[in-house]
Amino acid sequence: MRVLGMDPGLTRCGLGVVDGRAGRAAMVAVGVVRTPSDAEPSQRLIFLERELDGWLDKFTPDVVAVERVFADTNVTQVMNTAHATAIALLTAGKRGIPVVFHTPTEVKASVTGSGRADKAQVTAMVTRILKLDSPPKPADAADALALAICHLWRGAATARLEALAKASVR
């Protein structure tokens, strides 16, 4: 399975592509899309859409895993993150690629074993799991890879359980 992980953001959007299955993962690509900070929000979203379109065309993922937006006191930041998330839904949806959401706690737990892990611990484990020579930078890139790994490991198991549950209902 190929997963494109996305750490959504309007200023910086982390993207990471990982191939694998539960227990095995290999990095295909990683990067960060930086939108022009002086551009209008609509232009920044168009820029993000074009970049994400390019990643989807180039890497043809089976699924896109996005960090679930969580409530925060900074409403502007939450809205900007939600806008970037909508671009993932739009670009993947146009191609028929499923989009799944994972909470930060889920991602941390699946990659480090602890839902309370800090960014340094997540980055260290992503580097180790993917057998990288150096840690992915910035943190948005490491987070995108962690999302992809999380979905490979947790999402695949969840999908199997859901399929078994549906089969037993028949």
Side-chain angles (χ1 to χ4, degrees):
M1 174 184 285
R2 177 167 282 184
V3 180
L4 187 150
M6 178 181 174
D7 182 25
L10 191 55
T11 303
R12 285 182 327 274
C13 181
L15 299 172
V17 180
V18 175
D19 281 343
R21 62 181 195 274
R24 289 189 53 203
M27 185 182 79
V28 175
V30 66
V32 174
V33 175
R34 299 176 198 278
T35 64
S37 59
D38 59 343
E40 291 295 318
S42 60
Q43 294 305 307
R44 295 173 85 180
L45 290 169
I46 290 167
F47 182 86
L48 180 57
E49 178 187 21
R50 285 186 192 131
E51 292 293 315
L52 194 50
D53 275 335
W55 277 69
L56 293 171
D57 290 342
K58 183 173 183 177
F59 299 110
T60 61
D62 299 303
V63 63
V64 175
V66 180
E67 185 173 86
R68 183 176 298 282
V69 176
F70 60 92
D72 193 357
T73 55
N74 186 340
V75 176
T76 301
Q77 184 176 1
V78 170
M79 289 301 297
N80 285 339
T81 302
H83 292 143
T85 299
I87 296 300
L89 288 165
L90 174 71
T91 55
K94 288 193 290 188
R95 290 168 173 76
I97 301 170
V99 177
V100 296
F101 295 93
H102 295 285
T103 66
T105 302
E106 270 183 284
V107 174
K108 291 173 185 180
S110 68
V111 173
T112 71
S114 170
R116 294 182 172 182
D118 62 24
K119 285 201 176 280
Q121 291 169 308
V122 171
T123 299
M125 286 306 297
V126 165
T127 303
R128 192 171 180 187
I129 290 165
L130 297 175
K131 298 179 175 124
L132 303 176
D133 293 332
S134 60
K137 292 185 180 179
D140 307 279
D143 289 349
L145 290 170
L147 276 152
I149 294 166
C150 172
H151 187 70
L152 280 174
W153 294 2
R154 291 178 74 111
T158 301
R160 284 193 304 274
L161 290 173
E162 288 172 357
L164 286 171
K166 285 180 185 175
S168 68
V169 172
R170 294 180 196 165

